[in-house]
């Protein structure tokens, strides 16, 4: 296998309802060197963590989700644009979508700014319907949906992306969409908690007599999950 045909994933989950509109396939890649202070996903920083899988295997999961009526796929992480296979992955996702369900959208998160992302991996952006760009900035909390800090930009890139995401550009729901999952002893959150939410969660869990032995957000507050 060549680097272009593999991706390193931290997690794949369906359905995801807290990172983009509707019911979605969620892909979290493993590896990020941007090291934003306060990142809630520090377990995704190590580029040798997670598991290596093929673009073809992710494509199979995506086709299953499309057959189930998925509204889209969200690629997050970790830093997707640091994956050698990201262009192949996005191309495969777009091709399967075009064949099976053209109304399903592709949403890509990146910690790079829009300009940095365009310079770093223009081919990847060519396959996305929308991107959410920019590093997490702990000092700039926001109530904007799906974003962890006010500097992060939701940018529609295609006609589908504009139809689907323009209604959300300035949306500030009363509560951010959050999903909770459990995997053995692991409890994990999908979504972008607001500033302070994870600290409150930790206190509530402690008050109920349960303790976390480890968290992915260290002792600080976070974004993006
Ligand atoms: S917030 Fe995103 S870009 Fe920043 S360190 Fe965490 S995973 Fe990387």
């Amino acid at each position: 296998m060549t680097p272009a045909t593999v991706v390193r994933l931290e997690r794949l989950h369906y359905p995801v309802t807290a990172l983009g509109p509707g019911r979605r396939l969620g892909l979290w890649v493993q590896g990020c060197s941007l090291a934003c202070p306060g990142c809630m996903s520090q377990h995704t920083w190590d580029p040798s963590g997670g598991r290596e899988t093929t673009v073809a295997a992710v494509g199979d999961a995506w086709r299953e989700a499309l057959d189930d009526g998925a509204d889209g796929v969200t690629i997050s992480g970790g830093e997707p644009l640091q994956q050698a296979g990201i262009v192949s992955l996005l191309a495969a996702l777009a091709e399967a979508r075009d064949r099976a369900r053209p109304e399903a959208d592709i949403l890509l998160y990146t910690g790079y700014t829009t300009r940095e992302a365009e310079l770093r991996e223009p081919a990847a952006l060519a396959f996305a319907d929308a991107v959410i760009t920019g590093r997490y900035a702990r000092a700039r909390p926001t109530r904007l949906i799906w974003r962890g800090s006010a500097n992060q930009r939701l940018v529609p890139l295609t006609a589908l992306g504009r139809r689907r995401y323009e209604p959300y550009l300035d949306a500030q729901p009363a509560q951010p969409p959050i999903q909770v999952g459990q995997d053995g002893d692991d409890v994990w959150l999908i979504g972008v908690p607001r500033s302070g939410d994870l600290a409150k969660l930790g206190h509530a869990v402690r008050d109920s007599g349960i303790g976390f032995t480890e968290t992915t957000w260290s002792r600080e507050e976070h974004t993006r999950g």
Side-chain angles (χ1 to χ4, degrees):
M1 288 183 291
T2 66
T5 60
V6 298
V7 283
R8 193 165 272 279
L9 288 187
E10 187 270 329
R11 191 175 296 273
L12 178 155
H13 184 76
Y14 177 81
V16 167
T17 57
L19 284 176
R23 298 169 74 249
R24 315 177 64 80
L25 179 67
L27 305 175
W28 289 262
V29 303
Q30 180 71 34
C32 179
S33 65
L34 298 181
C36 306
C39 167
M40 72 175 278
S41 304
Q42 294 178 25
H43 61 301
T44 66
W45 288 6
D46 179 358
S48 62
R51 65 185 170 93
E52 196 171 85
T53 188
T54 62
V55 166
V58 178
D60 289 343
W62 176 223
R63 276 183 286 278
E64 277 182 33
L66 290 167
D67 287 347
D68 189 60
D71 296 296
V73 56
T74 299
I75 303 102
S76 180
E79 176 46 61
L81 297 189
Q82 291 179 0
Q83 294 283 316
I86 190 64
V87 175
S88 301
L89 175 67
L90 286 160
L93 296 173
E95 184 185 0
R97 178 275 309 275
D98 292 346
R99 284 173 191 265
R101 195 168 160 76
E103 66 270 34
D105 75 86
I106 298 173
L107 173 63
L108 175 68
Y109 273 86
T110 174
Y112 294 105
T113 64
T114 309
R115 182 70 184 136
E116 288 172 333
E118 285 167 350
L119 291 172
R120 184 182 178 89
E121 208 59 274
L125 296 197
F127 291 111
D129 295 295
V131 284
I132 293 180
T133 62
R135 290 160 185 74
Y136 171 58
R138 184 170 44 190
R140 301 189 60 190
T142 185
R143 300 177 70 82
L144 291 168
I145 192 166
W146 303 320
R147 282 150 283 181
S149 54
N151 60 301
Q152 294 179 326
R153 296 273 170 270
L154 169 56
V155 185
L157 297 172
T158 64
L160 172 61
R162 284 186 283 282
R163 273 202 310 280
R164 185 131 319 154
Y165 287 92
E166 278 181 355
Y168 295 102
L169 293 180
D170 300 316
Q172 300 187 28
Q175 296 294 330
I178 298 286
Q179 276 174 273
V180 180
Q182 190 191 354
D183 196 355
D185 286 341
D186 286 349
V187 177
W188 40 279
L189 297 181
I190 299 174
V192 184
R194 295 216 171 115
S195 176
D197 284 355
L198 292 172
K200 282 184 212 153
L201 173 66
H203 291 136
V205 167
R206 241 190 333 273
D207 290 349
S208 71
I210 305 168
F212 290 135
T213 53
E214 197 177 353
T215 66
T216 60
W217 58 88
S218 183
R219 288 163 295 171
E220 301 177 289
E221 309 237 43
H222 330 278
T223 182
R224 200 167 114 192

